[in-house]
Amino acid sequence: PSITNVSDSPMTTYVQVAGDSNHNTKDCGSKTVTITKASLTCPTSPSAKTYNGASQASGITCPSGSSAGGNTSATNAGTYSQTCTADNNHQFASTCSVSWTINPYNLSNATISGITSKSYTGSAITQAPTVTVPLPSGSTTTLTNNTDYTYSTSNNTNVGTATITVSAKSGSNYTGSRTATFSITKVDATCPTLTAYSNAYDGNAHSITVSGGSGGTIQYRTSTTGTWGTTKPSITNVSDSPMTTYVQV
């Protein structure tokens, strides 16, 4: 008789020599066959993977004589645990649980679109970016604001270059950040309302009336050429009249 499995062990075999016409039967004793569980080595953790938008296998191979359980595959970024459970003929020194990791995808590889040049308004200008990543392989995924990322805008009031910074949201499948810029361009100033003055001499200085207007600085001069100044010109005497005042903003 023979045995293969631990579950059949121990097996005691009794032996005798059967008599024949010339011999008597003789009991020869017994011996025991014992099969103990074979030792298995628990696998080590594999190299970390990177989130790619698709399900990924752990990459852990349980040794022959054991079966895999727990998290054998996953999609989202995080740390997982796969178990290897020995069969009845094998054993691990202790519970075999192997951790493996999917790291977040770095947004430095993302594309930011939907951003256009804007005109100066006097207030902070914001734009909501469209953020895409080349995931899964061969495809494109549009990310969701406040789920996958958040964004902020800086230098976004005055004429110049504004910056939008897209940052991965903590606990999401993403990490890192990406920036994009847009231009804030000048707009035409609004001219004020000009009112002429005409009246009899009274010994006082008089000038045109200027009201309203916006943007820039109001400047004056009394000829079509020459230097502009911020002081509004005036006249007192009839001899200086008429005086034409030119205005620009």
Side-chain angles (χ1 to χ4, degrees):
S2 64
I3 58 173
T4 302
N5 299 315
V6 172
S7 59
D8 298 321
S9 176
M11 176 189 71
T12 301
T13 301
Y14 298 86
V15 179
Q16 72 170 10
V17 178
D20 57 19
S21 58
N22 296 311
H23 298 83
N24 294 319
T25 297
K26 177 69 172 180
D27 289 331
C28 302
S30 63
K31 290 294 182 181
T32 299
V33 175
T34 301
I35 299 176
T36 59
K37 291 183 177 182
S39 295
L40 297 177
T41 299
C42 190
T44 57
S45 296
S47 298
K49 307 173 192 311
T50 300
Y51 174 77
N52 65 5
S55 177
Q56 299 186 70
S58 69
I60 300 167
T61 301
C62 291
S64 177
S66 66
S67 57
N71 302 120
T72 57
S73 64
T75 300
N76 293 325
T79 299
Y80 300 91
S81 179
Q82 176 180 312
T83 59
C84 294
T85 303
D87 61 23
N88 291 334
N89 294 315
H90 299 81
Q91 64 181 357
F92 291 102
S94 59
T95 300
C96 180
S97 180
V98 187
S99 64
W100 60 284
T101 301
I102 299 177
N103 287 331
Y105 182 85
N106 199 306
L107 289 185
S108 62
N109 299 307
T111 297
I112 299 176
S113 60
I115 305 302
T116 59
S117 177
K118 297 294 182 181
S119 298
Y120 173 81
T121 64
S123 300
I125 298 172
T126 60
Q127 300 187 66
T130 297
V131 183
T132 59
V133 292
L135 300 176
S137 179
S139 301
T140 298
T141 297
T142 300
L143 305 188
T144 302
N145 182 34
N146 288 325
T147 298
D148 301 314
Y149 68 91
T150 58
Y151 70 92
S152 61
T153 311
S154 59
N155 300 322
N156 56 327
T157 299
N158 295 321
V159 171
T161 301
T163 300
I164 294 177
T165 301
V166 173
S167 302
K169 191 171 177 66
S170 177
S172 72
N173 288 315
Y174 303 93
T175 189
S177 63
R178 178 87 172 180
T179 61
T181 60
F182 66 92
S183 296
I184 299 176
T185 58
K186 289 183 177 182
V187 295
D188 290 338
T190 301
C191 285
T193 300
L194 308 180
T195 304
Y197 177 84
S198 179
N199 219 322
Y201 172 80
D202 62 3
N204 296 316
H206 295 281
S207 61
I208 65 173
T209 299
V210 179
S211 60
S214 64
T217 301
I218 297 175
Q219 296 180 317
Y220 310 90
R221 68 185 181 189
T222 55
S223 64
T224 57
T225 61
T227 302
W228 293 95
T230 56
T231 300
K232 186 166 57 174
S234 63
I235 59 174
T236 302
N237 300 315
V238 173
S239 60
D240 297 322
S241 178
M243 177 189 68
T244 300
T245 301
Y246 297 88
V247 179
Q248 76 168 9
V249 180

